[in-house]
Amino acid sequence: MSALPKEGMIPKRLARLRDLASNLWWTWQPDAQRLFQRLDPVLWEEVRHNPVALLRRIERIRLNAAAQSPVYLELYDRILAEFDRAVAGETWFERSFPEHAGTTIAYFSTEFGIHEAFPAYAGGLGVLAGDSLKEASDLGLPMVGIGLLYQHGYFTQRITEDGWQEALYEDLDLENLPLARVTGPDGQPLQVEVSIAGRLVRAQIWRLQIGRIPLYLLDTALPENLPTDRELSARLYDGDPERRIAQEMILGIGGVRALRALGIRPGVWHLNEGHSAFSILERLREHIAEGLPFEEAAAWVRETTVFTTHTPVPAGHDRFSLTLIEKAFAGYWEQLKLSFEEFCELARQDEPWGPTFNMTALALRFSNHRNAVSELHGRVTRRMWAHLWPDRAVEEVPIRHITNGVHIGTWLARRMRALYQRYLGPDWMERVDDPALWERVLEIPDEELWAVRRHLKRKLVAFMRERARRRWQRNHVPPIQIVASGVLLDPYALTIGFARRFALYKRAYLLFRDPDRLRRLVNDPHRPVQIILAGKAHPADEPAKRMIQEIYRLIKDPSFGGRIVFIEDYDMEVARYLVQGVDVWLNTPRRPLEASGTSGQKAALNGVLNLSVLDGWWREGYNGANGWAIGEDRDYEDPEAQDVADAASLYELLENAVVPLYYDVETDGIPHRWLRMVKESIRSLAPFFNTRRMMKEYLHEMYLPAMEAARRRTAIPREPVL
């Protein structure tokens, strides 16, 4: 277990702070966070909102004072009672589907974004996985997560004076994380083995508790492994193909074996993207070892596998050369009673340079429950993979869509939550997927909504100024970099946010195509505009890093007046401040390459208006009155023509719609027409683009059919797996 203070170090009256710190349920409970913050507000910021680190470092005198405070104890007792209900009370799933209460859903993902204190995520895929586990806990779904424990997490981003991104890697401080090393009946750490290229690689198992949901993480940093194998779980998305395939063998094959070692036999296997598709091979191997012929084993695997694909970008689908597959699997195919050629056909995808073993193709071929993550992405995905079903028309390819959503408890600002509590009713968090509930948003007085929105923007500006001050103090960076970090921002000017992973198809450069026009826009003395950018480029993505550099050099131009800034090291903490504090959320992907996106959903929930290309989720969410659509609802053959048209549309909307509406303030100092659009945005978007609706869709359309199939299959007598 992580090194929380031993019993006796914490006053007996507050002893259960240890329980609370050991379960990441607190990450989506503002009052639980305040319980730790009130112990020592300064230390809480220093440890980056990590209660394990806080309890290890806090002075005993502060704990004693809290144990004597009636106000603190009242909050403590209330939060612990809520915690106990959340992790042990009767659940919605148990009430609704008692016949499936004993069926486990295994959720595999290469990354999980739970909180910034545990940096095991790179971007949207991981944050979606984290949000999914949190919602599964809220609903009581019988789920377990499977992933890897990255000793270096994802990289820390630093921007040099000339705008170049540097990637810094730091060891994960396991002592300050609520991780439990899983042990076996003999009290020794539980381990699994995977044969990779003819050598055995061992992995130990850690548990991270997310409310009701255990997340099991595999770690190869063991002394009995070769030095190179200890590094397999060191970094997220290793660029070397040999290490990448080994990572994915640990995740997929090792993940299945870890569940078996834990005594867990899932009825449903959900693969969040193709990185974990090797789990399919291991499950086939198990069934064949039990005596099933290959086709029957394959049918069993298909009936109980759910696969979600997240990207229409070809580079986002892992594929390996057949030479590398032959080396890495070294005879594994014989356990499937296949030849090497037959083994390769399970996932064969021909590329211009030759045949490959494609992880997405493997997952699609061996799952009966497949989905893309938005309506448009579904259409693109069916077209992209239609060759796997040559006897079907493209529109009949069996890949449906379940549009992504966001976990409201994680991303909603505390002040907005309090506002909703007043006007939506005390049980509103239990009904967030009910459209009728959100009609009440229209009853919120404009002055109250405006006061909250202004408060959140002041918090954002204060946060950025404090980050800039600390950077100045710590690194002594040149003054121009401090300006570029946001110290000159105005907490009352129209503020636009653009934050996401930097890749060329995200088109962060679109806003800068006409610098003179942009300069006039931001420097209007009567209606100023300020723009906040944030995001990381993959360390191996040189074009994306050059794009950041070019944008950063423009940002440093004094003629922009410090109104365009870049926040380095974008993470979940920065994301929360941005989606809660800006006025407008800008998204400019090259359609149709944005599978879904969720940052704009988080922003909308907090009263931020979307200004976006009609791609991903926004194509479904936009209704003409709840934000703005950049460009047309169409695809382009010519990328340059698309850039020209979309940039022209973006500037036109900013100049003639967005800016005038924001500054259309009436005599009471409130922009009522702006707030009318804000309310329409919340009313129309919040009930659908949330994980409660999303996870219920997965349950009804994917999990329950797989559970029924598993129940039918388990009725057949079987020999135990050796």
Side-chain angles (χ1 to χ4, degrees):
M1 179 68 97
S2 59
L4 279 162
K6 296 178 181 178
E7 292 190 26
M9 297 291 290
I10 298 176
K12 186 175 181 179
R13 182 64 173 86
L14 303 179
R16 294 201 64 205
L17 286 175
R18 292 168 50 86
D19 298 338
L20 200 58
S22 298
N23 188 316
L24 292 181
W25 175 83
W26 62 264
T27 62
W28 68 95
Q29 304 296 330
D31 283 348
Q33 295 165 33
R34 293 176 75 195
L35 194 65
F36 293 111
Q37 179 189 32
R38 287 185 178 184
L39 292 171
D40 190 332
V42 174
L43 182 58
W44 179 246
E45 295 301 321
E46 286 181 11
V47 299
R48 298 194 66 200
H49 312 150
N50 181 340
V52 175
L54 177 88
L55 293 178
R56 292 184 66 208
R57 290 178 52 184
I58 195 167
E59 296 177 356
R60 176 62 187 257
I61 191 172
R62 290 186 174 273
L63 293 171
N64 289 341
Q68 300 299 317
S69 167
V71 174
Y72 186 87
L73 293 176
E74 181 182 2
L75 177 63
Y76 172 88
D77 291 338
R78 177 169 64 82
I79 294 303
L80 266 298
E82 291 177 9
F83 173 64
D84 289 339
R85 286 193 296 272
V87 300
E90 186 183 28
T91 70
W92 171 84
F93 181 81
E94 290 168 341
R95 292 193 301 272
S96 304
F97 304 98
E99 68 277 19
H100 293 300
T103 305
T104 300
I105 304 162
Y107 186 96
F108 282 69
S109 183
T110 195
E111 52 175 301
F112 288 90
I114 309 295
H115 188 263
E116 61 270 14
F118 183 58
Y121 59 93
L125 178 72
V127 172
L128 175 79
D131 279 10
S132 297
L133 294 194
K134 292 171 185 177
E135 192 64 61
S137 177
D138 290 341
L139 291 171
L141 300 187
M143 183 175 281
V144 299
I146 298 290
L148 297 177
L149 179 66
Y150 302 101
Q151 295 100 26
H152 300 314
Y154 201 46
F155 72 92
T156 298
Q157 180 193 53
R158 288 290 176 266
I159 304 297
T160 65
E161 186 177 1
D162 72 345
W164 190 249
Q165 172 185 287
E166 294 181 339
L168 309 176
Y169 290 91
E170 300 175 1
D171 289 342
L172 207 60
D173 184 3
L174 300 185
E175 289 296 307
N176 279 323
L177 292 173
L179 286 164
R181 185 185 278 108
V182 179
T183 57
D186 58 358
Q188 295 301 308
L190 200 59
Q191 297 182 359
V192 295
E193 292 181 343
V194 179
S195 177
I196 302 174
R199 67 189 187 278
L200 282 179
V201 180
R202 289 180 173 270
Q204 62 182 331
I205 308 169
W206 299 82
R207 188 182 72 248
L208 192 68
Q209 198 67 30
I210 320 294
R212 290 175 175 267
I213 309 300
L215 170 57
Y216 295 104
L217 301 169
L218 301 180
D219 167 27
T220 64
L222 296 171
E224 51 265 46
N225 286 332
L226 294 174
T228 52
D229 291 333
R230 294 173 205 158
E231 293 292 311
L232 290 179
S233 58
R235 294 182 182 180
L236 187 58
Y237 298 132
D238 198 302
D240 179 81
E242 291 205 28
R243 288 197 296 270
R244 185 70 166 264
I245 196 172
Q247 278 187 326
E248 297 189 356
M249 291 176 75
I250 295 294
L251 174 62
I253 297 173
V256 174
R257 293 178 181 178
L259 289 171
R260 301 312 189 204
L262 291 161
I264 299 171
R265 295 192 65 86
V268 182
W269 303 76
H270 187 168
L271 312 185
N272 188 42
E273 199 47 276
H275 310 295
S276 56
F278 288 142
S279 62
I280 288 168
L281 303 179
E282 177 63 7
R283 292 168 57 210
L284 287 170
R285 187 198 65 77
E286 288 184 336
H287 291 317
I288 290 167
E290 294 166 347
L292 293 183
F294 182 88
E295 285 306 321
E296 187 174 344
W300 195 326
V301 168
R302 289 188 184 103
E303 289 174 355
T304 54
T305 300
V306 175
F307 173 59
T308 301
T309 178
H310 287 266
T311 178
V313 180
H317 299 271
D318 283 342
R319 51 201 186 273
F320 302 105
S321 72
L322 301 190
T323 301
L324 182 55
I325 288 290
E326 184 174 24
K327 176 183 177 182
F329 279 87
Y332 186 95
W333 52 86
E334 295 170 359
Q335 298 178 62
L336 303 182
K337 301 192 179 343
L338 299 175
S339 68
F340 176 66
E341 291 73 20
E342 291 170 326
F343 182 75
C344 292
E345 287 300 318
L346 301 180
R348 181 174 174 135
Q349 177 82 1
D350 290 327
E351 302 290 350
W353 57 87
T356 65
F357 193 98
N358 187 291
M359 300 293 277
T360 301
L362 177 64
L364 288 171
R365 286 178 171 132
F366 287 89
S367 57
N368 280 357
H369 315 283
R370 317 168 189 90
N371 73 285
V373 289
S374 72
E375 187 273 335
L376 181 58
H377 181 226
R379 281 199 271 153
V380 172
T381 302
R382 285 187 288 276
R383 186 168 63 246
M384 187 175 184
W385 297 99
H387 61 278
L388 298 182
W389 290 271
D391 57 335
R392 299 193 186 209
V394 171
E395 60 273 14
E396 296 176 354
V397 168
I399 303 173
R400 61 183 310 123
H401 77 274
I402 295 178
T403 302
N404 285 346
V406 298
H407 185 254
I408 288 180
T410 296
W411 297 104
L412 185 63
R414 189 171 62 85
R415 287 285 183 96
M416 286 297 291
R417 184 188 290 233
L419 192 65
Y420 292 159
Q421 186 82 9
R422 283 202 300 277
Y423 289 96
L424 304 188
D427 65 340
W428 75 275
M429 282 289 282
E430 303 303 316
R431 300 173 50 210
V432 293
D433 55 339
D434 178 5
L437 169 79
W438 293 96
E439 295 293 331
R440 300 178 192 171
V441 166
L442 304 178
E443 302 170 10
I444 299 175
D446 283 0
E447 58 271 20
E448 291 191 41
L449 179 57
W450 186 237
V452 172
R453 292 295 315 138
R454 283 164 68 90
H455 165 78
L456 294 175
K457 189 151 64 172
R458 287 193 297 268
K459 278 188 65 177
L460 167 63
V461 172
F463 168 74
M464 294 183 64
R465 288 174 177 171
E466 178 61 18
R467 275 175 67 100
R469 184 192 66 78
R470 289 182 180 177
R471 189 180 181 200
W472 168 264
Q473 187 178 46
R474 182 177 61 245
N475 297 329
H476 305 289
V477 296
I480 189 64
Q481 284 192 270
I482 300 303
V483 172
S485 299
V487 293
L488 299 183
L489 289 181
D490 178 354
Y492 302 108
L494 171 61
T495 304
I496 299 171
F498 179 98
R500 55 201 23 87
R501 181 171 58 85
F502 266 68
L504 291 187
Y505 79 89
K506 302 280 189 180
R507 297 194 301 176
Y509 59 80
L510 200 67
L511 188 63
F512 297 88
R513 278 186 68 95
D514 190 338
D516 290 335
R517 197 170 178 181
L518 180 61
R519 199 173 284 111
R520 290 193 299 272
L521 186 73
V522 301
N523 287 322
D524 186 326
H526 302 292
R527 302 188 305 188
V529 176
Q530 52 199 18
I531 301 163
I532 303 173
L533 300 102
K536 297 177 178 180
H538 188 280
D541 190 345
E542 296 297 317
K545 290 194 287 188
R546 284 196 296 273
M547 179 173 60
I548 290 177
Q549 185 177 43
E550 291 168 10
I551 291 172
Y552 196 77
R553 287 173 175 173
L554 277 174
I555 287 172
K556 293 194 300 178
D557 185 340
S559 66
F560 283 107
R563 295 192 185 277
I564 306 178
V565 303
F566 188 97
I567 309 180
E568 67 178 9
D569 202 30
Y570 182 49
D571 66 1
M572 290 182 72
E573 180 185 28
V574 173
R576 281 197 304 276
Y577 276 98
L578 285 175
V579 299
Q580 295 170 8
V582 300
D583 300 300
V584 174
W585 196 258
L586 176 64
N587 191 23
T588 55
R590 185 181 301 288
R591 174 178 161 146
L593 299 182
E594 177 92 306
S596 176
T598 58
S599 56
Q601 300 172 2
K602 299 160 191 165
L605 189 66
N606 285 286
V608 177
L609 294 175
N610 276 274
L611 169 62
S612 176
V613 171
L614 287 168
D615 197 8
W617 79 275
W618 184 234
R619 187 176 177 277
E620 298 167 58
Y622 176 63
N623 68 8
N626 60 358
W628 299 275
I630 300 169
E632 301 177 88
D633 187 11
R634 54 165 290 196
D635 297 336
Y636 285 79
E637 294 294 331
D638 181 358
E640 177 60 22
Q642 185 178 9
D643 282 1
V644 170
D646 287 349
S649 174
L650 172 58
Y651 285 123
E652 177 78 14
L653 285 168
L654 287 171
E655 293 167 345
N656 300 318
V658 179
V659 176
L661 186 65
Y662 181 83
Y663 285 105
D664 180 16
V665 178
E666 299 185 18
T667 54
D668 58 1
I670 297 174
H672 292 283
R673 290 179 60 236
W674 178 273
L675 292 176
R676 191 178 310 143
M677 184 176 278
V678 167
K679 291 179 184 178
E680 173 60 18
S681 171
I682 298 170
R683 183 202 67 79
S684 60
L685 301 176
F688 186 80
F689 297 102
N690 63 70
T691 48
R692 179 143 303 189
R693 183 275 313 162
M694 182 189 81
M695 293 304 288
K696 284 182 178 179
E697 275 196 55
Y698 273 109
L699 177 65
H700 288 286
E701 299 178 14
M702 307 288 211
Y703 297 160
L704 289 177
M707 286 178 179
E708 289 294 341
R711 190 160 62 171
R712 289 193 303 271
R713 287 282 183 178
T714 52
I716 302 171
R718 304 164 63 224
E719 294 296 323
V721 178
L722 297 177

